[in-house]
Amino acid sequence: MRDLGVYFGTFAPCHVGHLEQIIRAKRENKNALVIVSGYDDDRGDKAGMSLTNRVKAMRELLKDDENVTVVTLDETNVPRYPAGWAPWLDLLRDKITSQVESLQLPMESVTFYVGEEEYIEPLETYFTKAFYTTDVQITKVDRRITGISGTSIRENPIFNWDYVTRPFRRFFVKNILVIGTASTGKTTLVRDLARRYSTSYSLEYSREYQTTRQVRDDELDIKDLHAIGIGQFELNRKHIHSPGTRKVFFADTDVMTTKLYTKLYAPKEDYEKIAPVFDYYISLQTWALIIVLPPTTKYVDDGFRDMSMADEKARLDMHQMFLDEIKYQGLEDRMVVLKGESFQEKYEEAHRLVDEILADGKDN
């Protein structure tokens, strides 16, 4: 067994082919360094995977491997490949040296695992001199093991879903928001869609919050509403990152809903203070589709309820507030207001919309 295995790449995303090589590096060496490289606006960043987030995801993937260390190699100030080979190799040398020193790793032998033929000669020439007291070996890995590439995944992540390692799947999940006024059947629709696509969903956090704290609607203050808004954001994020989420995630409510209820029920001065906070969290959400359920006087089981004209007007006003807020947030192009009369018609319409988003990647 050799001392140190080094495997570097952009990992945008880390797929099973990468993982096979990491497994090899950690089995053939006492310790392994996985070096995630990149820069601002690189190919991963353009696909929603910043260098920092790729490093976090890689550490999550390998957290149980005591002999594997994940480190960052920021290439922002280095000329792009191939012009930047010399300074890039210097960065790589410094990164390896600093990790070996800080972790007190043995380094009598080092193996670099590479996937490109043109990397072999520059690495061997440079590190034979840089690590002159070390036995340096360059091993070319077989990239045909899985027949997949990061480019193929970025171009069609849903179709190639099973090749993506789990912590990186969150970057490709198609998030779908279902919103509407009370008694529109949105919770039932979210549950049915999640069951249909064998994935996860989230419900209104306000219900959990108020039940846990025994707070009634008329007792909610600005601190409660703030906690509900942020709690909803975190609940949705938790499900997006969940192992139970497959390709698509359905949310029943988001921070926009909390913002609107705060606007309706909180004092104006409180709303004006908290609205920018809600807007910040709304900007962090990424929705592939926003399904809006219009107000109805029917229950989801097609039974009828009595509704006063005042109640009906209140719901129509709230519905318009949803439409206005979606437009204000610049999300109008992702919004579809369902037209079906019955719940079944609305379900089928939503089903078709989701199929269109998943396109060729739909497997059920």
Side-chain angles (χ1 to χ4, degrees):
M1 177 175 284
R2 293 171 66 81
D3 287 334
L4 183 65
V6 177
Y7 186 51
F8 59 82
T10 56
F11 302 107
C14 176
H15 53 68
V16 292
H18 293 137
L19 184 61
E20 292 287 350
Q21 306 311 327
I22 293 171
I23 290 173
R24 178 179 177 180
K26 75 174 186 177
R27 297 298 183 205
E28 294 181 350
N29 299 273
K30 296 174 184 176
N31 293 281
L33 290 181
V34 175
I35 300 176
V36 186
S37 63
Y39 50 88
D40 294 339
D41 202 34
D42 64 10
R43 58 192 176 189
D45 203 354
K46 290 176 180 177
M49 297 172 283
S50 68
L51 175 59
T52 298
N53 285 334
R54 297 199 303 268
V55 171
K56 290 178 181 178
M58 188 64 79
R59 285 177 178 154
E60 182 180 341
L61 176 67
L62 301 170
K63 62 184 178 182
D64 297 322
D65 289 311
E66 295 181 356
N67 68 324
V68 179
T69 303
V70 177
V71 295
T72 308
L73 185 65
D74 190 341
E75 308 170 2
T76 301
N77 297 319
V78 174
R80 302 287 79 87
Y81 175 84
W85 250 123
W88 189 88
L89 287 169
D90 288 340
L91 277 179
L92 181 61
R93 176 203 62 203
D94 293 344
K95 183 64 63 173
I96 295 171
T97 301
S98 65
Q99 290 299 312
V100 167
E101 291 176 352
S102 65
L103 298 174
Q104 297 182 339
L105 303 178
M107 197 178 156
E108 292 183 7
S109 58
V110 174
T111 304
F112 290 87
Y113 296 84
V114 299
E116 304 291 345
E117 186 73 32
E118 61 264 35
Y119 292 176
I120 296 177
E121 191 278 329
L123 285 168
E124 189 169 37
T125 299
Y126 182 91
F127 283 102
T128 299
K129 295 179 180 178
F131 297 158
Y132 62 91
T133 62
T134 299
D135 175 18
V136 175
Q137 178 176 305
I138 314 297
T139 298
K140 186 176 183 297
V141 300
D142 188 352
R143 297 187 66 177
R144 298 171 298 174
I145 291 176
T146 60
I148 192 64
S149 69
T151 301
S152 299
I153 292 171
R154 290 191 300 274
E155 290 175 349
N156 195 341
I158 301 302
F159 181 77
N160 294 300
W161 184 264
D162 290 329
Y163 291 114
V164 183
T165 55
R166 183 162 288 167
F168 285 82
R169 290 178 178 178
R170 68 189 63 160
F171 300 115
F172 303 107
V173 172
K174 301 297 184 181
N175 302 316
I176 296 178
L177 171 64
V178 180
I179 59 175
T181 61
S183 301
T184 55
K186 59 187 177 69
T187 299
T188 301
L189 179 62
V190 163
R191 284 179 171 145
D192 284 350
L193 288 171
R195 291 168 182 147
R196 173 64 182 81
Y197 292 95
S198 301
T199 191
S200 66
Y201 64 94
S202 68
L203 299 179
E204 289 186 33
Y205 177 71
S206 61
R207 298 179 184 178
E208 176 185 338
Y209 180 91
Q210 291 182 250
T211 299
T212 301
R213 291 161 179 76
Q214 288 296 293
V215 180
R216 299 183 304 184
D217 289 350
D218 59 356
E219 296 172 338
L220 291 170
D221 60 22
I222 193 63
K223 292 182 180 179
D224 293 317
L225 292 164
H226 175 267
I228 289 171
I230 309 311
Q232 187 69 58
F233 174 85
E234 293 296 340
L235 179 63
N236 290 347
R237 186 171 69 166
K238 174 184 175 182
H239 283 284
I240 292 168
H241 292 193
S242 167
T245 299
R246 180 173 175 80
K247 301 183 181 181
V248 61
F249 158 71
F250 297 95
D252 172 3
T253 303
D254 76 323
V255 186
M256 283 191 289
T257 304
T258 312
K259 179 185 175 184
L260 293 184
Y261 278 106
T262 303
K263 186 175 184 178
L264 279 175
Y265 300 116
K268 184 179 179 180
E269 59 272 20
D270 285 345
Y271 171 76
E272 291 176 348
K273 291 177 182 178
I274 202 68
V277 177
F278 288 150
D279 285 339
Y280 169 72
Y281 280 93
I282 292 169
S283 72
L284 297 179
Q285 301 172 144
T286 54
W287 303 114
L289 173 66
I290 300 175
I291 295 174
V292 181
L293 289 168
T296 177
T297 56
K298 293 184 179 181
Y299 283 130
V300 294
D301 64 358
D302 286 340
F304 288 88
R305 66 174 295 178
D306 292 329
M307 183 184 296
S308 68
M309 291 183 65
D311 288 338
E312 184 174 1
K313 183 179 184 306
R315 294 190 184 189
L316 288 172
D317 289 345
M318 189 65 182
H319 175 66
Q320 188 59 50
M321 288 179 67
F322 275 122
L323 301 183
D324 292 343
E325 183 65 26
I326 290 170
K327 184 176 181 179
Y328 172 77
Q329 298 295 342
L331 300 171
E332 199 172 16
D333 61 327
R334 302 172 205 177
M335 177 187 72
V336 176
V337 181
L338 298 187
K339 299 181 176 66
E341 291 294 327
S342 68
F343 178 80
Q344 182 63 26
E345 290 172 344
K346 292 175 182 175
Y347 167 76
E348 291 174 357
E349 185 180 354
H351 186 341
R352 288 193 299 271
L353 291 168
V354 177
D355 280 355
E356 289 173 5
I357 287 175
L358 295 180
D360 294 336
K362 185 170 71 70
D363 61 1
N364 61 357

